[in-house]
Amino acid sequence: MTYDECKAAETCTVTGQVKVIKSDNVEMGELALGAGKCVTLSLSKNDIRYLKNIGSIKATIAGRVYSGHHDPNYLLLKIEGRKVGYSRCGDFYVFIR
């Protein structure tokens, strides 16, 4: 799926380079799609720990799309009980189980 297809879908499957980022003191994932596009990921603590140990990795992810805010005035959101910080990638997040 492309960035725009992912943004408009209920569920999204995309491939790219995944890394852990910290935003608003919250660790979460960021998947780089190329051409300056990225997707912000809500990852489990185990996934974050794994990625921090190995660094970035090319992966295909699939998850549910949640709208968010690409606005620095919204510092924190909760998606299915997980905190996510400000998204540098756009106004949606993908929740990975």
Side-chain angles (χ1 to χ4, degrees), residues 5-25:
E5 290 170 333
C6 186
K7 179 180 178 177
E10 279 188 36
T11 59
C12 173
T13 302
V14 287
T15 301
Q17 198 70 25
V18 180
K19 66 181 180 180
V20 173
I21 62 165
K22 195 166 193 173
S23 177
D24 304 315
N25 294 316

Side-chain angles (χ1 to χ4, degrees), residues 30-71:
E30 185 174 281
L31 183 139
L33 297 171
K37 296 284 188 179
C38 61
V39 175
T40 303
L41 308 174
S42 173
L43 299 172
S44 70
K45 288 180 183 179
N46 287 340
D47 288 341
I48 288 170
R49 212 171 305 138
Y50 174 75
L51 284 170
K52 284 173 75 175
N53 285 332
I54 65 165
S56 70
I57 186 172
K58 184 170 183 171
T60 298
I61 60 94
R64 184 175 168 134
V65 177
Y66 287 88
S67 64
H69 298 281
H70 189 64
D71 180 341

